[in-house]
Amino acid sequence: MRKFILPAIAVAFAITGPAYAKDGAGVGKWRWSASESHYSTGAYTTEQTMEITRNDKHGIAVSQVVTPLDGKTFSWNIEAPYDNKMRHASQWMSFAFSRISDTQFHDRYVMNADGMRGEETFTITPDKITIRGYSITKGKKSPYVEVWDHVE
């Protein structure tokens, strides 16, 4: 029996490819791709990095370092359950997260300084995260797509 099980596991791994990290899909370091991302209002940043340290059925732990067009870099981080309740990630913004599947989650956000709101859906593959979302400023909905490349 053992002779059959080990080859079967090896074949299954070869067919499906490497598994996601033990702490969930998307765990790792990511860099924003300016060339693949599109904003209806134009890009708001020159550089962004993101690190996801946990993404499981219970919640997510994520942080970002963002350099907006004005050059004033800031960072935020949050560890939150997937319960769709708004929580502060920093003095800059707040989030509410909900899980769609092992490789997708949704968030709502509020920029604390100006009240701008938005929603995003993250789709995770081993090499990319694609975020489809929109922001609402002064009643105007502005869609965007962000693409992030896996770097570690």
Side-chain angles (χ1 to χ4, degrees):
M1 182 71 150
R2 189 180 304 172
K3 289 180 182 178
F4 174 74
I5 292 174
L6 291 177
I9 291 170
V11 168
F13 183 78
I15 291 170
T16 61
Y20 286 103
K22 68 176 180 151
D23 293 323
V27 169
K29 294 181 180 179
W30 302 85
R31 180 170 304 283
W32 172 71
S33 172
S35 64
E36 294 179 86
S37 299
H38 306 283
Y39 304 85
S40 61
T41 58
Y44 66 94
T45 184
T46 59
E47 186 176 355
Q48 295 186 82
T49 58
M50 174 170 47
E51 183 172 10
I52 299 173
T53 55
R54 184 174 62 88
N55 179 21
D56 59 27
K57 66 182 180 179
H58 303 291
I60 188 162
V62 60
S63 61
Q64 276 190 343
V65 177
V66 182
T67 303
L69 297 175
D70 67 9
K72 296 177 183 175
T73 299
F74 67 91
S75 63
W76 60 264
N77 67 295
I78 190 167
E79 186 165 347
Y82 283 123
D83 63 1
N84 204 30
K85 292 182 182 174
M86 197 62 71
R87 289 178 174 79
H88 289 289
S90 70
Q91 65 182 14
W92 187 70
M93 65 189 313
S94 299
F95 289 96
F97 294 96
S98 58
R99 185 176 171 94
I100 299 169
S101 71
D102 287 349
T103 58
Q104 281 192 313
F105 63 91
H106 182 81
D107 75 44
R108 295 179 297 113
Y109 62 85
V110 176
M111 305 297 203
N112 296 331
D114 62 10
M116 182 178 73
R117 298 178 178 276
E119 296 191 24
E120 305 171 313
T121 299
F122 289 61
T123 302
I124 303 165
T125 67
D127 297 327
K128 295 209 182 276
I129 293 178
T130 303
I131 304 171
R132 296 184 187 284
Y134 63 86
S135 61
I136 300 173
T137 305
K138 297 179 183 176
K140 184 179 180 206
K141 192 175 184 178
S142 301
Y144 57 86
V145 176
E146 288 186 354
V147 178
W148 296 73
D149 295 317
H150 191 224
V151 294
E152 264 182 60

